[in-house]
């Protein structure tokens, strides 16, 4: 359950970065940093083995 929540949050963060760049939002660089964190979260949840 927690793994799915982290995966969804990671995907949303990953999409937020490029979307902020496309729509020229303020502080788009911060959104790109969040996007990188989202990618890390997706990668980590992919490698966590199920108990």
């Amino acid at each position: 359950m927690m793994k799915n929540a982290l995966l969804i949050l990671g995907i949303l963060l990953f999409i937020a970065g490029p979307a902020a760049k496309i729509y020229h939002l303020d502080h788009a660089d911060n959104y790109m940093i969040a996007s990188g964190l989202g990618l890390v979260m997706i990668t980590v949840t992919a490698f966590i083995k199920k108990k």
Side-chain angles (χ1 to χ4, degrees):
M1 181 70 189
M2 187 67 174
K3 183 179 173 183
N4 289 343
L6 282 175
L7 187 62
I8 292 170
L9 181 64
I11 290 170
L12 290 176
L13 283 174
F14 183 62
I15 293 171
K21 282 285 191 186
I22 291 169
Y23 293 113
H24 303 291
L25 298 179
D26 293 336
H27 311 293
D29 292 333
N30 292 340
Y31 287 105
M32 290 304 288
I33 293 169
S35 180
L37 289 175
L39 182 60
V40 169
M41 289 171 63
I42 293 168
T43 306
V44 167
T45 54
F47 285 106
I48 292 175
K49 294 187 177 175
K50 291 183 178 179
K51 293 182 180 179

